[in-house]
Amino acid sequence: MGVIHVEGVSKIYNPDKIPVTALQGVSLTIEAGEFTAIVGPSGSGKTTLLNVIGGLDRPTSGRVAVGGHEITGLSDNELIDFRKEHIGFVFQAYNLIPVLTARENVSFVMLLQNRPAAEREARTQELLAAVGLEDQIDKRPAELSGGQQQRVAVARALAPKPAFILADEPTANLDSHSASNLLDIMARLNEEEGVTFLFSTHDQRVIDRARRVITLVDGAIARDEYRS
Amino acid sequence: MLVQLAWRNIWRNRRRTLITTASILFAVLFATFMESLQKGAWNNTINNVVNFYVGYAQIHLEGYWDERSLDLAFSGEEVTNLARKAPGVQAVVPRLESYALASTGNNTLVATVIGIDPELEDGMTHLSGRLIAGKYLTPEDQTVLLAAGAAKQLELGVGDTLLLIGQGYHGVNAAGKYPITGIVEFATPELNKSMVCLPLVEAQWLYGADGLVTSLALQLPNQRAIQPALHYLDQQLPDETYEVMDWKAMMPDLLEAKALDSAGNIIVYCILYLIIGFGIFGTILMMIKEREYEFGVLIAIGMRRWRLAMVVWLEIIFLGLLGAMAGILCSTPLVYYFRVNPLRFSGDYASALEKFGFEPIFPTEFRLGIFLTQALVVLAITIVLGLFPFRKLKQLEPVAAMRS
Ligand SMILES: Nc1ncnc2c1ncn2[C@@H]1O[C@H](COP(=O)(O)OP(=O)(O)OP(=O)(O)O)[C@@H](O)[C@H]1O
Ligand SMILES: [Mg+2]
């Protein structure tokens, strides 16, 4: 059993009014250490799948297990705590709290976990160095470029030592240079630290760097291929 | 860190924060000023009546205060000796009070005639300080002090002669001719139009009430001394013979009018609070609306909703605190200024006020309690309104919030 286990998941929005089927019968397993892209046309269900895996959204039917824990039946607060401890999120944009510095943004999640200050400080330094931002530590998001903001977001996602990182189109708002820079960092974390990444993307250059590519069409898996 | 976060958040939209705190500031400013003015005006009125005339408490023969009949005069010696022993009593001030027609031949008015012990009276009400012309009385004088308003109406001055005609003790005739030694100015318009003071012995002779008084006023150091003194006297004096009244009992109208006035003001305050309440609520709605995406992210990465709501609540409390403190800071000098330089009305409004027994001067009351109460009320409103985000955030779904 992998780190993520999705079994027969369907998601229908607005079941009462105009039903929209976002996912239908999706089953997949992600193993620890994967570097996997979810691709597909707009509206194919990529975001919905990531949200369901991350416990942000509940499937209409089917099961999701993370690290062997079934999360489908958890209460709202249990899900929040689960996300806090086990899952790292990177969203397309505006990930960071604007009034906090890079250092504070990274530290914030660990504060929510009630980690001691010394540990928070050390890990924040380490993570910001890992994403190449050791000299931007006290800048606020507005003072950072889009690419730098996404790197801070990656550092923040890593802070609680999650089982994996879910990234929904992390490069969509970046120029190609920043995008490849972010990808380099993600790939290095994956190779050197064994961090599991699951990300959605439209960008062919990003797709090319994934080692596994899952293609969604109309809410179902149309193709699932491994590359060497 | 949550506190720090909240503090920084309120400065994200500097303009809105300033507008919101300014509106709270003005509400506090307006409310404290209004309350200080109102309380001050009433204190002034009560002070005028109580300290300069009625006194904190009086002893009469039972029923006198209702009837005001000279026939209820009594020999005060025994009661005076007893009252002197009451706790807190600094002096017992005898008075013989009645009415008379005051006349100059051309002009006539109904005068309140009061026989006083010049020395004791001055000790309690500082009557000599109210002289604007002439000189004060001595116990042996056969002359009078005339209130300024009455003097004006009768067109009399110091040295002129006043004719008093009335009814004395048990129906005897009372008539006398008195030179005016002094003109006194009373703050209370009613007194100022009718008061004639003469030495007690002379008044007793005029009214044929030898050795009698109608009231004994008690000189006490302050309000708090009333209760113990009254308690003592209630025990010592025979119940059916005498009545011991404090100023509240003697002037229920004054208290009632004050209460009525305060009640009227409460409505104004409520409207004021309602207006700023809506203003603050608008700010809260905007704060939540424009940060929905960010709230979604925070809940997504593992922040519990109530914790997030606490941050927003803190932000609103900061706004309330800033506004309330700024309000106190601005209103303190304002209220203080109008205490030193009271508002003074003239013209029609002034005469209307005088009809109701008010002196048309409004010194504000400068009391910490007023500032604190108003600021706390406003702060309480913000704190309660600040609970709204708890409800709102409870319903916020991160996925929906981040889709918008
Ligand atoms: N909250 C929602 N309510 C109703 N319909 C929704 C909701 N979220 C998603 N959908 C619908 O579900 C389908 C899948 O949406 P989703 O966002 O998962 O697609 P996507 O692959 O991420 O698209 P994109 O590439 O544009 O981001 C779409 O048809 C979308 O309109
Ligand atoms: Mg999407």
Side-chain angles (χ1 to χ4, degrees), chain A residues 35 171 178-188 199 206 209:
Chain A
F35 198 68
T171 60
S178 304
S180 82
N181 183 259
L182 184 70
L183 254 289
D184 287 343
I185 288 167
M186 286 165 58
R188 205 193 65 234
F199 51 91
V206 176
R209 303 194 52 169

Side-chain angles (χ1 to χ4, degrees), chain B residues 303-358:
Chain B
M303 191 171 193
R304 290 261 191 127
R305 290 159 208 275
W306 69 267
R307 232 173 161 179
L308 186 52
M310 283 288 278
V311 174
V312 182
W313 195 42
L314 271 176
E315 290 173 31
I316 295 160
I317 291 175
F318 279 145
L319 288 180
L321 267 176
L322 279 178
M325 286 190 316
I328 290 183
L329 231 61
C330 292
S331 59
T332 314
L334 184 78
V335 170
Y336 188 75
Y337 176 84
F338 282 104
R339 180 189 150 91
V340 180
N341 308 290
L343 289 174
R344 204 175 285 268
F345 289 101
S346 55
D348 286 351
Y349 191 55
S351 43
L353 283 168
E354 287 185 2
K355 258 193 211 122
F356 289 106
F358 283 103

Side-chain angles (χ1 to χ4, degrees), chain A residues 48-92:
Chain A
T48 307
L49 180 59
L50 288 176
N51 287 344
V52 166
I53 291 172
L56 279 176
D57 214 345
R58 292 170 193 277
T60 312
S61 62
R63 296 166 6 124
V64 177
V66 169
H69 297 283
E70 167 106 32
I71 63 165
T72 327
L74 296 182
S75 75
D76 189 66
N77 274 336
E78 285 169 340
L79 270 178
I80 291 179
D81 290 345
F82 187 84
R83 295 198 294 265
K84 180 177 73 187
E85 302 297 338
H86 302 292
I87 303 174
F89 286 98
V90 176
F91 302 104
Q92 188 172 329

